[in-house]
Amino acid sequence: MDMIIVKGGQPLHGEVAASGAKNAALPILASALLADGTHTFRNVPDLADVATMLEVLRTMGCEAARLTGRKKDVCEVALSGPITPEAPYELVKTMRASVLVLGPLVARFGRARVSMPGGCAIGARPIDQHLKGLKALGAEIHLTEGYVEARAKQLRGGTVNFDVITVTGTENVMMAAALAKGHTVMENCAREPEVEELARVLNKMGARIEGAGTSVITIEGVDSLKPVDHAILPDRIEAGTLLVAAAISGGNVLVKHAQVEHLEAVVDKLREAGCTITVEAGGLRCKAPRTPTAVNITTTEHPGFPTDMQAQLMALMSVSNGTSVISENIFENRFMHVPELHRLGADITIQGHTAVVKGVKGLSGAQVMATDLRASASLILAGLRAEGPTEVSRVYHLDRGYERLERKLRSLGADIRRVKARG
Ligand code: EPZ
């Protein structure tokens, strides 16, 4: 098992590129199940979660693989022979986003058997809204032996009103409705850029989807779809993380491919914290003061402040010149990084789903443990500021969603390396 050792103190300088978006790549790979033929996906980030999704597709009988050499950011998914519409527990338990095959399978093959994802470190994360949506399109749903069994001779258009705004729920039902007979209206949908990107890909496949990116999506079902060739949009959360790396180190960094329209809430908070964020050709530049100003953060659905950037901003606020209040409203258990930031000398008090962060003059390096994907990023960011070495263990969490983050940070001047964990 690897760990990452980072020695803080160097302001980061230079240019770095954001990779393709994990949370767009996963539903888009699953959407390949909707059409026979060979799909080509470009700018696919080389992440553990992407590898898992390719494995899920292969388990069903697809040919699904990442190309090599100069095309190593390209994945091809080919459906030719029979498909076993099943996603096993062994894979789903490692990546709950595997549930994104449910909608495409029942829509295309009339049945699906997908393991229930179960809870995760950041919350219970039920899928009741995914199932509610599929039922509204006429699917019969049974839960047996820890699996969702969905069946439908032919899905039909309907009205889906989500009780809670759910990203993968919106994506799952949108993929199913694309092949349902008739008209579907989905209300209270997630508006994340990744939902819009999935609709873009489905429409390229021949679907008739309108309104993605707004809270109401309408779909005219079609009989069949065709394979697609698509380059995936940049990862706004990785780009946001790299901007915070510049901010916490007091540096000056251009994050290439970062799109301001996908990061407005994050950019606003970084500007409020005293950073100069400028839109430059091909990206966003962050020029940061030595000490950030304390700001308050409230996580909400897009276009509000993303929960996936909460931990990173908390690391920044831990060295601010004041007190910031951070409220986490999406997941009930997304403060697992707080006790680890305490080990680096941060002053953070949790009250329910709110954290009060009193900025300290400096952090000092220590051994810390990653507990989930974004928590691991926040510990590395804090390490960029801490005096002495910070050793972050369990970085397999990081590799699920960041493509060689330590190399990118090292290219900006960080003293950071990956080593085999002791013992
Ligand atoms: C997506 O997860 C992202 N994952 C998450 O990113 C992200 O944190 C989350 O959206 C919120 O932005 C992917 O896109 C693969 P939700 P998802 O359904 O779709 C409740 C990362 O770090 N809910 O929008 O699983 C749920 O419990 C990951 O990259 C129900 O109650 O999140 C939560 O409180 C972490 N019933 C809220 O809604 C449901 O059926 C939002 O969850 C579905 C969700």
Side-chain angles (χ1 to χ4, degrees):
M1 208 181 344
D2 292 0
M3 69 179 181
I4 286 179
I5 302 179
V6 48
K7 287 200 189 104
Q10 284 81 26
L12 302 186
H13 287 283
E15 299 186 2
V16 65
S19 304
K22 167 181 82 83
N23 290 347
L26 299 176
I28 288 170
L29 286 167
S31 75
L33 290 163
L34 291 165
D36 275 349
T38 301
H39 304 257
T40 304
F41 301 116
R42 302 173 194 283
N43 198 29
V44 181
D46 186 8
L47 305 170
D49 278 7
V50 168
T52 304
M53 185 58 88
L54 292 171
E55 177 63 23
V56 170
L57 294 170
R58 284 195 295 271
T59 307
M60 294 176 192
C62 304
E63 283 160 50
R66 177 179 295 279
L67 304 188
T68 54
R70 274 160 13 105
K71 290 195 169 181
K72 64 181 186 325
D73 71 322
V74 178
C75 290
E76 284 188 349
V77 180
L79 280 79
S80 46
I83 293 290
T84 311
E86 194 159 320
Y89 174 68
E90 288 67 34
L91 289 174
V92 177
K93 76 176 180 195
T94 66
M95 183 189 68
R96 46 178 308 101
S98 313
V99 74
L100 284 161
V101 300
L102 184 60
L105 286 174
V106 69
R108 178 85 203 289
F109 302 100
R111 79 178 183 88
R113 186 167 189 273
V114 174
S115 170
M116 294 280 281
C120 96
I122 64 177
R125 304 182 73 180
I127 58 165
D128 58 303
Q129 297 299 304
H130 300 232
L131 306 183
K132 176 184 177 183
L134 293 176
K135 279 184 198 157
L137 302 182
E140 248 180 70
I141 304 275
H142 300 285
L143 306 180
T144 50
E145 298 155 359
Y147 279 75
V148 178
E149 298 254 0
R151 281 179 187 280
K153 281 206 185 57
Q154 163 72 65
L155 291 179
R156 60 180 189 284
T159 299
V160 179
N161 191 328
F162 292 108
D163 304 316
V164 293
I165 295 174
T166 160
V167 175
T168 50
T170 300
E171 293 166 341
N172 231 335
V173 177
M174 184 165 72
M175 289 190 276
L179 283 180
K181 217 155 203 51
H183 188 70
T184 295
V185 180
M186 296 165 59
E187 293 162 344
N188 198 26
C189 296
R191 294 182 275 164
E192 270 67 6
E194 294 78 22
V195 172
E196 248 183 290
E197 175 80 344
L198 176 62
R200 211 172 284 125
V201 170
L202 294 172
N203 283 343
K204 260 183 169 177
M205 293 166 82
R208 295 170 57 193
I209 300 172
E210 286 175 11
T214 75
S215 56
V216 179
I217 298 174
T218 57
I219 302 158
E220 203 55 50
V222 295
D223 295 338
S224 66
L225 295 166
K226 60 182 191 302
V228 72
D229 184 329
H230 183 79
I232 290 174
L233 88 174
D235 195 314
R236 64 191 168 102
I237 303 298
E238 185 206 14
T241 304
L242 293 165
L243 290 171
V244 176
I248 203 165
S249 71
N252 181 346
V253 170
L254 173 66
V255 179
K256 287 184 283 185
H257 314 318
Q259 296 173 308
V260 68
E261 63 275 18
H262 293 163
L263 278 166
E264 273 160 10
V266 174
V267 166
D268 288 353
K269 284 297 167 187
L270 287 174
R271 285 182 172 143
E272 213 183 311
C275 298
T276 305
I277 308 283
T278 43
V279 179
E280 288 189 17
L284 281 175
R285 178 175 296 282
C286 175
K287 194 167 174 305
R290 183 71 199 137
T291 303
T293 303
V295 299
N296 297 333
I297 306 276
T298 299
T299 67
T300 61
E301 297 86 2
H302 191 83
F305 190 91
T307 172
D308 293 350
M309 283 299 299
Q310 176 256 101
Q312 298 92 315
L313 257 289
M314 187 183 286
L316 181 66
M317 289 299 104
S318 71
V319 291
S320 78
N321 65 1
T323 299
S324 76
V325 176
I326 298 182
S327 305
E328 173 55 56
N329 299 301
I330 303 294
F331 292 109
E332 64 273 23
N333 189 34
R334 204 167 203 180
F335 285 149
M336 302 280 278
H337 40 284
V338 171
E340 301 303 312
L341 289 172
H342 282 160
R343 293 178 52 74
L344 299 172
D347 179 349
I348 305 168
T349 317
I350 297 178
Q351 290 145 0
H353 64 100
T354 299
V356 178
V357 185
K358 288 204 184 85
V360 295
K361 289 259 167 302
L363 299 173
S364 53
Q367 292 168 303
V368 291
M369 192 163 62
T371 48
D372 61 77
L373 168 58
R374 307 304 171 183
S376 49
S378 82
L379 298 177
I380 287 178
L381 294 175
L384 289 172
R385 185 63 183 241
E387 213 167 307
T390 295
E391 294 183 5
V392 184
S393 60
R394 298 188 178 187
V395 291
Y396 53 81
H397 287 291
L398 187 81
D399 297 336
R400 296 189 54 175
Y402 291 93
E403 193 175 48
R404 289 177 280 286
L405 181 64
E406 79 279 6
R407 277 197 206 155
K408 292 191 177 184
L409 294 173
R410 199 160 52 238
S411 74
L412 297 170
D415 179 346
I416 184 168
R417 59 201 165 88
R418 178 184 290 250
V419 297
K420 286 279 165 253
R422 285 182 290 278

